[in-house]
Amino acid sequence: MYSKEHQQIRVHDFEPEQERFRTEVLSGLQKSPKELPCKYFYDERGSYLFECICELDEYYIPRTEAAIMEAYIEQMVELIGPGVLLIEYGSGNSTKTRILLKHLHELAAYVPIDICQKQLLRATVELVSDYSGLEVLPVCADYTSDFELPVTNRPCRRRVVYFPGSTIGNFDPIPAKHFLEHIAGVCGPRGGLLIGVDLKKDPAVLHRAYNDGKGVTAAFNLNLLERVNRELNGDFQPEWFEHYAFYNPGEGRVEMHLVSLKDQTVHLDNVSVPFARGESIWTESSYKFTLDEFEQMAGDAGFKVAHVWTDEKQWFSVQYLVNTGGTRS
Ligand code: AVJ
């Protein structure tokens, strides 16, 4: 492990290596059907495009989640208690976290974890200047991999993980359960998890959320091909691929694909990848849950649902889960 110094901010750096990116891209493109891991959306441009998605009218998640946080923050603070170490998975620009940082009592420290080094550094610089006295310990990592948490100056009473945005929905059901088990291990026996969970709803609402009128989601999806071109010397022609997103009610998920508009061969250095017209690369799943389905999965992973907050349309939920077993790893 090494770290980068930036205005006294030390980023604990476990950023995935280029080699790992290459390996995962090549193996995904050689599968049938083809797929690419959605975590690679978030390079600097992708993180920026995701911020733009969050401002779209159609993409109801951020504003609905923020409204739930604002409305019930006192109850959340009460349940979470004082003196916690707050750890956030996929912190991005830490917008929603500010509500927590403002209200939680005697915070031991805040550990934002993000896969994008630049975004993480930018967010940390702003947090440090806005919340004097707060210890911010940024970690750059793929949070599905194993990495160490930094040591805090102040002792903490309990670890609480914050995992907003319904990013849990990006995992297939079995990996999702395993990831919740992993979080239970990280936060320990008396630890908690404050998590955003998107709910099943009218498919037309979901369809609009992933097919916005300005084409920002399409640009976000296609940026993955441009990133492969930039970083892996690829020759994808994005104009010959089309963003295709739909809700699959049988599986309870939105699927995003990039569909080839013609027979074509793409090269990454010396590797050739053939595409038939109509063939897709599966780039993301976003599972949607009923409250019962999520409670079941959380229970299987060793968490008890302590409280669920929702908006009045029941489109989204913020839930506080407590670890009922699990050792701290
Ligand atoms: C941040 C991963 C939860 O799946 O809704 C937004 C990402 N993809 N539009 C989601 C995303 C397309 C988002 N997550």
Side-chain angles (χ1 to χ4, degrees), residues 46-63:
S47 297
Y48 166 76
L49 287 169
F50 181 66
E51 299 305 332
C52 298
I53 289 175
C54 290
E55 306 207 325
L56 297 168
D57 285 341
E58 296 100 322
Y59 194 66
Y60 60 87
I61 291 181
R63 74 183 131 81

Side-chain angles (χ1 to χ4, degrees), residues 38 41-42 50 53-54 56 59-61 143 164-170 198 209-212 217 220-221 243 245 254 256 284-288 316:
C38 63
F41 280 138
Y42 303 93
F50 181 66
I53 289 175
C54 290
L56 297 168
Y59 194 66
Y60 60 87
I61 291 181
Y143 54 69
S166 200
T167 304
I168 189 65
N170 285 164
D198 200 16
Y210 293 83
N211 291 280
D212 66 274
T217 308
F220 173 72
N221 198 3
H243 165 74
V254 173
M256 287 211 312
E284 188 186 61
S285 297
S286 291
Y287 284 83
K288 310 301 171 187
F316 197 85

Side-chain angles (χ1 to χ4, degrees), residues 261-279:
L261 295 175
K262 61 173 182 182
D263 292 337
Q264 55 182 323
T265 301
V266 172
H267 307 90
L268 287 102
D269 284 328
N270 53 349
V271 183
S272 305
V273 184
F275 283 86
R277 180 180 177 192
E279 187 179 356

Side-chain angles (χ1 to χ4, degrees), residues 235-257:
D235 64 357
F236 274 106
Q237 292 178 277
E239 60 279 19
W240 288 108
F241 286 87
E242 189 172 64
H243 165 74
Y244 183 57
F246 61 93
Y247 181 63
N248 178 337
E251 300 288 344
R253 68 187 177 214
V254 173
E255 294 182 18
M256 287 211 312
H257 295 261

